[in-house]
């Protein structure tokens, strides 16, 4: 029960389009993949969270083995559609990643560190844009009707000096 009460909903989602999907499902069109990514992004909005989307990183080994670099062309097209759909300010460009395992598909520990350096500034900016600032301005004071103050000895009229 305590664990459930402490469970907080995520405020940020990072979505990385999978390179495995491009290899495993060549029949799925890039537009459909972007549509599936958009559905995930829409779901994060329902959860009142922010989503950023990563482009598909290059795949050195599979792309080199792909006849006519068809996989490379497909990845380029998918990445173009991702930027088109979500905008540059919500997309993490992973094209500079260069640390892959021997399989040429999965990132090494260093590769994940590189990815984190690319993801962080985009996430930070997205959170700032989409979340209200904690700094709130103090409400303007409500005007109060002016009332005249009672006269003080300094401001009280001098007693009438005329004899009675």
């Amino acid at each position: 029960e305590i664990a459930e009460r402490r469970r907080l909903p995520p405020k940020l989602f990072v979505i990385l389009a999978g390179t495995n999907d491009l290899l495993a499902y060549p029949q799925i069109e890039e537009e459909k993949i972007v549509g599936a990514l958009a559905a995930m992004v829409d779901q994060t909005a329902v959860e009142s969270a922010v989503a950023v989307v990563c482009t598909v990183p290059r795949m050195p080994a599979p792309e080199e083995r792909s006849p006519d670099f068809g996989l490379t062309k497909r990845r380029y097209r998918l990445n173009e559609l991702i930027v088109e759909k979500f905008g540059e300010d919500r997309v993490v460009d992973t094209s500079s990643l260069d640390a892959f395992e021997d399989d040429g598909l999965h990132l090494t520990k260093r590769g994940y560190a590189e990815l984190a350096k690319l993801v962080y500034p985009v996430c930070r900016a997205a959170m700032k844009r989409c979340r209200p600032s904690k700094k709130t301005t103090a409400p303007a004071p409500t005007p109060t009707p002016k009332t005249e103050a009672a006269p003080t000895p300094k401001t009280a009229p001098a007693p009438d000096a005329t004899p009675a």
Side-chain angles (χ1 to χ4, degrees):
E1 185 177 313
I2 293 172
E4 188 61 32
R5 280 187 279 166
R6 288 185 180 199
R7 186 171 164 234
L8 299 174
K11 296 185 187 306
L12 174 72
F13 288 87
V14 177
I15 301 170
L16 175 61
T19 53
N20 287 336
D21 295 333
L22 286 179
L23 292 169
Y25 304 103
Q27 73 278 12
I28 297 178
E29 298 164 357
E30 291 80 12
E31 291 81 5
K32 286 187 180 181
I33 295 171
V34 171
L37 294 172
M40 286 187 254
V41 169
D42 291 345
Q43 184 59 42
T44 65
V46 168
E47 303 291 330
S48 299
V50 176
V52 297
V53 181
C54 299
T55 59
V56 178
R58 67 183 189 84
M59 302 168 277
E63 287 187 17
E64 290 165 7
R65 291 191 300 254
S66 178
D68 300 320
F69 293 96
L71 191 58
T72 302
K73 291 175 188 173
R74 190 162 184 229
R75 181 177 57 83
Y76 282 156
R77 176 69 181 137
L78 180 56
N79 288 344
E80 286 174 0
L81 291 172
I82 288 171
V83 173
E84 243 176 60
K85 177 70 177 175
F86 303 107
E88 289 183 5
D89 59 332
R90 286 180 50 190
V91 173
V92 177
D93 179 7
T94 61
S95 63
S96 67
L97 292 176
D98 197 27
F100 293 90
E101 294 286 352
D102 291 338
D103 66 2
L105 187 62
H106 297 96
L107 295 172
T108 62
K109 187 176 182 178
R110 190 187 75 166
Y112 281 108
E114 289 175 11
L115 179 60
K117 286 179 185 175
L118 296 172
V119 167
Y120 179 76
V122 177
C123 289
R124 185 176 168 110
M127 292 295 289
K128 282 184 177 179
R129 273 192 316 276
C130 298
R131 294 276 178 219
S133 173
K134 289 186 179 182
K135 295 178 184 177
T136 56
T137 56
T142 308
T144 54
K146 289 190 175 187
T147 56
E148 290 189 31
T152 63
K154 287 185 177 180
T155 61
D160 195 0
T162 40

